[in-house]
Amino acid sequence: ERYDFLCDMWNPPSKYPAFLQVWDIAGLIRGASEGAGLGNKFLSHIGAVDGIFHVVRAFENPDVQHVEESVDPIRDLETITYELCQKDLTLVAACIENEKKELKRNPLFKLSLTFTTAMDKLQDMLGKNLPVKDGDWSTVEIELIKEKLPGLVTTKPQVYLVNLTKD
């Protein structure tokens, strides 16, 4: 009813309703990139989504345990960023290794300057826990990253949500 009302009122060129599917993927813990907790399973699931809602806890409750045994949303966000950057670092390393193998197989194959500078930049950023989406990239670098590394998690749009008490 409301949707029809709004369509009648605004008369948009397209009348297809927006759709958002949300998947709740179990929490990320320190060490996930090395397999701790649900680790690699979590990181593989998150790679399949178009965007990420991060929910961090900011309330104390003795009946609700926290994996780190204390509530610290800043620390938790830093952990999330670190683990996602580590996941992307492994993808970048694999990409570089694949290019080096191609170089050995095919003597006519050459690594472009764009490839080497972009990979160096990716490794530097991710090593400093800086998501790829926050980098300053040229159009050529963006196209290269999309082509060679379509599964990077830190390129996805992210929304941060804080879970509070009613008090």
Side-chain angles (χ1 to χ4, degrees), residues 36-164:
L38 296 177
N40 292 324
K41 186 175 182 182
F42 171 88
L43 292 167
S44 69
H45 288 314
I46 203 166
V49 302
D50 296 325
I52 304 167
F53 288 115
H54 295 290
V55 181
V56 293
R57 178 176 157 192
F59 66 89
E60 296 283 349
N61 183 333
D63 296 330
V64 182
Q65 290 186 346
H66 189 285
V67 69
E68 296 281 344
E69 298 182 11
S70 66
V71 175
D72 182 349
I74 301 298
R75 177 204 55 218
D76 294 346
L77 286 173
E78 288 170 350
T79 297
I80 291 167
T81 301
Y82 172 80
E83 294 299 332
L84 296 181
C85 285
Q86 291 302 302
K87 171 65 173 174
D88 281 357
L89 259 175
T90 61
L91 296 174
V92 171
C95 178
I96 292 169
E97 189 59 36
N98 287 340
E99 294 293 308
K100 286 180 180 178
K101 285 179 185 175
E102 182 60 30
L103 215 90
K104 288 178 183 176
R105 278 194 300 268
N106 183 353
L108 300 176
F109 182 77
K110 301 277 186 228
L111 290 178
S112 72
L113 181 60
T114 303
F115 179 84
T116 55
T117 57
M119 294 302 131
D120 288 346
K121 200 166 158 181
L122 284 166
Q123 287 181 312
D124 183 55
M125 284 187 67
L126 294 167
K128 294 176 180 171
N129 298 326
L130 299 172
V132 174
K133 68 180 176 58
D134 294 342
D136 185 24
W137 304 99
S138 70
T139 303
V140 175
E141 289 171 325
I142 292 169
E143 291 305 315
L144 179 102
I145 291 167
K146 284 181 178 180
E147 176 192 342
K148 300 286 185 183
L149 294 158
L152 291 179
V153 178
T154 63
T155 61
K156 298 177 185 290
Q158 299 178 33
V159 175
Y160 298 93
L161 306 166
V162 180
N163 187 357
L164 302 168

Side-chain angles (χ1 to χ4, degrees), residues 2-12 14-16:
R2 179 175 165 81
Y3 178 76
D4 292 332
F5 169 78
L6 292 172
C7 284
D8 291 341
M9 184 173 144
W10 295 103
N11 196 22
S14 172
K15 295 186 179 179
Y16 291 102

